[in-house]
Amino acid sequence: MRSFTETGTGVSRVMIGLAGWLMAGSLFVGIMAAQQPAPAPAADGGQSSLQLQRRDEGVTTLKTAARLVLLDVVVTNGKGRPVKGLKASDFTLMEDGVPQMVSGFQEHQPLSPEEIARAKAALVMPPNHFTNYDPEANDTGAITVFLLDALDTPVQAQMYLREQMIAYMKTVPPGTRIAIFQMDTQMHMIQGVTSDPEVLRQVVNGKRDQAVISPLLGGPAAPGYVRERMRQDFLTQGMQTLAHYLAPFPGRKNLIWFTGSVPVTVYGPGFGVPFPDISSFIDDFSKTTDVLTLSRIAVYPVDSRGLQTGPVGRGGIGRFETRQFYQHGDLDDVAEATGGRAFYNTNGLKEAIAEVVDTGSNYYTLSYTPANHTWDGGYRKLQVKVQGESGMKLEYRRGYYARNNEAAESRHIAELESPRRLLPGQPVRARQSHTMEAAMKMGAGPVRDIVFVARVTAPQETTKLKGDEPLAKGDYLDKSFRKDALREYKVHYSVSAQEMRLMPTPDMNYHGRVEFVEVVYDDKGEVVNSKSTMAQLDLDGASYGQMMQAGFGSDQTIVIPAKGSFFLRLGVHDLSGDKAGSLEIAVDQIKLGAVGSAVAARP
């Protein structure tokens, strides 16, 4: 016996068996094996470890709270090469000059080319097939983020930067995880985190990565302090948005910020005030630097204007050099506050990228509980030393604020983790799953608790709604797009059921509920369309066993505007076990008109 009851806003058909599960042969076996956890060793010669967790009722339990400081450290030698193989005993960590005891230590390195090659050989995906399974997953490894700051970068400099990025992508090391963002008056995601070099090359050569004329450059000239204040506000908000996107990713994020300068707002009448009040982006620690620190983001500012020369003329050189000195000092301050390093006075932007990727991907994480238990909000300076060869350089954040406002910290962290509303116009369920909301957040990494393959297809032809023609049931396309040319995308899910939890009944039948969710985002992170479908599974023992071996499939559709830069996020949610799987696809990576075929493993 097998039965499926569809509820919610979409129409779905769940298919059990090898026809529904598109991963054939050794690929299916490989993915199933990869999901199997290693058996846990039994405690005390086979006795259940649960017995060790029993609490004596007559014992008073004392609870203590300890604050843990996490510090990522990059170590390079005199030639600028990463220093590997250090031990915890090689590090000396001091806070305000007082030695601290390192309680946690871990070295992080990228996967070797041989490891990546072996992993990729096991998985070959046909066109328009996408999966959240990653045979080379290195979730604690570093992520490199390119931020193209168009607020104060002239178009010529942006075009040169694009040329340098194209050149770098031709030689990007295998397995390097990269995301690309662009900042004008808002933060735009050009490409989410990916280690696929072909995808990265297509992005930097495509339409998504285009030069932007900043509204703060050219046009009617606004007073300097107004223009700088506007840029500071745009940039602060954009950096916070970027930190929200990157917070769910574990490990270090190396943010290469291609910019011309840090915005500094000058107040006062100007002439006659030798030292006017200055409000600078780098001084706004409570709004920006703390967010970047919590998200483990190290900033590497790169002056995208390259090597510059001063104007010829009386006094020109002196003013130019003074301005450059302070601008580069601001870049150094941003880098030092977050554990990065600044690059300027160089046209070798490709080489700067390669250096950040190489050194920033090899790092050590130190953790400790401060000996000073007085949390008065004061700034505490950190100093790290390493024993060994002379000439070693260390990159790490140089301090933190010892705040004691736990409520504010909880709100701060909750803001980093809070998902935006995904389904506009759709009734909110009485019990929202934080697991699924987080899994469907734009820019978040693939969630792999439930592994699936999605075949996504769409026709070349577009359609338009006629007059007041209603949308398909369950379609929540934003009103601003309803007069535009649209394209219907078909999504076939092929889902592994091994991590799902179906509830058995005394008659040995199994029951569960599965949710399929599709969300379309624009490049600013706004929801354009969304759809959610529930499937009730009621299986007899034979059908349940077949599903555990062969998986199951489901077909969904969603409408996406034909013009624009959009991202499609797909998710599968097992409501009984509250486990999810998700992935994100740049819509322009979907080949139009392709029918697709079954997934096969490389022999």
Side-chain angles (χ1 to χ4, degrees), residues 38-56:
D44 295 336
Q47 295 296 321
S48 171
S49 60
L50 293 177
Q51 297 177 3
L52 303 178
Q53 301 173 9
R54 188 173 54 197
R55 181 186 302 173
D56 293 333

Side-chain angles (χ1 to χ4, degrees), residues 8 26 43 111 131 155 205 222 243 257 259 283 342 394 469 494 496 508 528 560 593:
S26 60
L111 296 176
T131 180
V155 173
N205 282 285
W257 176 21
T259 184
D283 294 329
L394 280 65
E469 179 184 354
S494 301
S496 164
M508 294 307 296
V528 173
I560 303 177

Side-chain angles (χ1 to χ4, degrees), residues 11-331:
V11 178
S12 174
R13 180 184 174 210
V14 177
M15 297 156 281
I16 291 181
L18 291 174
W21 177 251
L22 295 183
M23 288 188 281
S26 60
L27 176 60
F28 175 81
V29 174
I31 290 183
M32 296 300 107
Q35 295 182 84
Q36 295 296 331
D44 295 336
Q47 295 296 321
S48 171
S49 60
L50 293 177
Q51 297 177 3
L52 303 178
Q53 301 173 9
R54 188 173 54 197
R55 181 186 302 173
D56 293 333
E57 296 180 359
V59 177
T60 301
T61 302
L62 298 178
K63 294 184 178 180
T64 61
R67 292 172 178 262
L68 194 69
V69 176
L70 206 64
L71 189 65
D72 291 331
V73 182
V74 172
V75 184
T76 55
N77 60 22
K79 297 181 179 180
R81 302 294 302 158
V83 177
K84 304 177 183 180
L86 296 175
K87 301 180 177 62
S89 57
D90 296 322
F91 287 82
T92 300
L93 172 61
M94 291 183 288
E95 181 179 288
D96 286 339
V98 178
Q100 305 293 311
M101 180 178 294
V102 176
S103 57
F105 178 83
Q106 187 176 8
E107 181 180 6
H108 305 271
Q109 295 183 27
L111 296 176
S112 68
E114 293 75 20
E115 291 173 320
I116 294 170
R118 285 196 299 268
K120 285 189 174 296
L123 181 66
V124 177
M125 301 294 289
N128 287 3
H129 287 71
F130 308 91
T131 180
N132 61 343
Y133 173 69
D134 187 357
E136 57 176 275
N138 183 17
D139 290 336
T140 63
I143 295 172
T144 302
V145 183
F146 293 176
L147 174 56
L148 318 179
D149 184 355
L151 279 172
D152 75 333
T153 305
V155 173
Q156 272 189 327
Q158 293 182 51
M159 294 174 66
Y160 177 71
L161 170 59
R162 187 184 182 194
E163 292 176 0
Q164 292 286 288
M165 289 175 58
I166 291 173
Y168 173 74
M169 292 306 177
K170 294 178 181 178
T171 60
V172 59
T176 303
R177 296 192 295 169
I178 293 177
I180 305 175
F181 289 80
Q182 186 173 64
M183 179 71 198
D184 41 54
T185 57
Q186 290 180 294
M187 186 68 70
H188 304 263
M189 187 172 79
I190 306 296
Q191 174 61 51
V193 177
T194 181
S195 59
D196 189 330
E198 186 57 37
V199 169
L200 292 168
R201 283 190 283 269
Q202 291 176 4
V203 168
V204 296
N205 282 285
K207 296 181 179 180
R208 273 185 276 158
D209 178 26
Q210 293 289 330
V212 175
I213 299 177
S214 170
L216 303 183
L217 294 176
Y225 70 90
V226 174
R227 185 167 57 248
E228 284 294 292
R229 185 66 191 185
M230 289 174 62
R231 180 170 176 248
Q232 177 178 341
D233 291 342
F234 288 145
L235 188 57
T236 299
Q237 183 178 4
M239 284 291 194
Q240 291 174 344
T241 300
L242 182 59
H244 278 68
Y245 282 131
L246 297 175
F249 291 90
R252 178 184 175 95
K253 277 77 69 174
N254 299 309
L255 173 59
I256 307 179
W257 176 21
F258 296 100
T259 184
S261 63
V262 176
V264 177
T265 307
V266 181
Y267 298 98
F271 295 105
V273 182
F275 301 104
D277 294 334
I278 294 179
S279 172
S280 175
F281 168 80
I282 61 174
D283 294 329
D284 197 357
F285 288 104
S286 63
K287 289 185 179 179
T288 303
T289 307
D290 282 357
V291 175
L292 296 176
T293 297
L294 283 174
S295 303
R296 297 179 71 183
I297 300 175
V299 182
Y300 291 81
V302 177
D303 191 339
S304 54
R305 298 169 299 180
L307 181 61
Q308 294 182 296
T309 56
V312 178
R314 184 177 179 182
I317 293 293
R319 287 194 298 269
F320 170 79
E321 290 180 344
T322 300
R323 185 171 64 251
Q324 289 282 87
F325 173 81
Y326 283 109
Q327 287 180 348
H328 293 163
D330 289 341
L331 298 182

Side-chain angles (χ1 to χ4, degrees), residues 279-591:
S279 172
S280 175
F281 168 80
I282 61 174
D283 294 329
D284 197 357
F285 288 104
S286 63
K287 289 185 179 179
T288 303
T289 307
D290 282 357
V291 175
L292 296 176
T293 297
L294 283 174
S295 303
R296 297 179 71 183
I297 300 175
V299 182
Y300 291 81
V302 177
D303 191 339
S304 54
R305 298 169 299 180
L307 181 61
Q308 294 182 296
T309 56
V312 178
R314 184 177 179 182
I317 293 293
R319 287 194 298 269
F320 170 79
E321 290 180 344
T322 300
R323 185 171 64 251
Q324 289 282 87
F325 173 81
Y326 283 109
Q327 287 180 348
H328 293 163
D330 289 341
L331 298 182
D332 286 330
D333 289 343
V334 171
E336 185 174 285
T338 58
R341 182 160 65 92
F343 293 80
Y344 40 78
N345 286 334
T346 177
N347 291 328
L349 303 185
K350 180 185 74 171
E351 289 75 18
I353 295 172
E355 186 172 342
V356 173
V357 171
D358 182 33
T359 59
S361 297
N362 296 271
Y363 67 99
Y364 300 87
T365 299
L366 284 64
S367 58
Y368 72 100
T369 300
N372 182 358
H373 301 299
T374 303
W375 298 88
D376 55 4
Y379 185 77
R380 298 182 180 179
K381 295 182 179 180
L382 298 177
Q383 184 179 12
V384 180
K385 296 181 180 180
V386 176
Q387 299 176 359
E389 61 181 276
S390 60
M392 286 193 293
K393 295 182 179 180
L394 280 65
E395 296 168 11
Y396 58 94
R397 76 175 192 228
R398 302 294 167 159
Y400 69 98
Y401 288 93
R403 295 186 176 93
N404 192 30
N405 190 341
E406 294 185 4
E409 290 176 2
S410 298
R411 287 195 301 270
H412 200 167
I413 294 174
E415 287 178 3
L416 290 177
E417 298 177 345
S418 64
R420 57 174 56 85
R421 181 173 171 79
L422 297 175
L423 308 176
Q426 185 172 354
V428 179
R429 298 195 300 272
R431 181 177 176 271
Q432 290 276 348
S433 166
H434 177 74
T435 299
M436 195 56 178
E437 295 284 0
M440 297 305 294
K441 196 175 176 184
M442 179 185 174
V447 177
R448 304 185 181 95
D449 289 342
I450 295 179
V451 175
F452 67 92
V453 170
R455 184 182 71 223
V456 186
T457 56
Q460 292 278 359
E461 299 76 17
T462 61
T463 59
K464 281 191 174 184
L465 297 175
K466 298 178 181 178
D468 296 329
E469 179 184 354
L471 295 168
K473 184 179 179 181
D475 205 317
Y476 291 93
L477 181 67
D478 187 272
K479 292 181 180 179
S480 61
F481 294 96
R482 294 187 182 181
K483 293 184 179 180
D484 296 350
L486 305 172
R487 188 173 277 118
E488 184 180 69
Y489 286 74
K490 296 181 179 180
V491 182
H492 177 83
Y493 292 90
S494 301
V495 185
S496 164
Q498 290 212 349
E499 295 300 327
M500 293 181 59
R501 186 172 73 182
L502 272 64
M503 305 304 293
T505 55
D507 58 359
M508 294 307 296
N509 289 325
Y510 293 83
H511 310 276
R513 298 178 71 201
V514 182
E515 180 182 21
F516 298 93
V517 179
E518 301 82 41
V519 182
V520 180
Y521 291 98
D522 65 14
D523 59 357
K524 297 181 289 295
E526 297 297 327
V527 176
V528 173
N529 198 2
S530 61
K531 204 169 183 180
S532 173
T533 304
M534 293 287 185
Q536 176 71 39
L537 277 66
D538 300 292
L539 309 172
D540 58 22
S543 299
Y544 172 78
Q546 186 181 14
M547 188 178 78
M548 288 296 106
Q549 292 295 321
F552 63 95
S554 179
D555 291 314
Q556 305 292 331
T557 62
I558 190 164
V559 170
I560 303 177
K563 292 185 178 180
S565 180
F566 302 103
F567 297 84
L568 175 61
R569 195 158 185 95
L570 306 177
V572 179
H573 183 206
D574 168 24
L575 280 80
S576 299
D578 196 25
K579 290 186 176 182
S582 67
L583 60 84
E584 189 168 290
I585 309 163
V587 172
D588 61 9
Q589 293 177 11
I590 302 170
K591 296 182 179 180

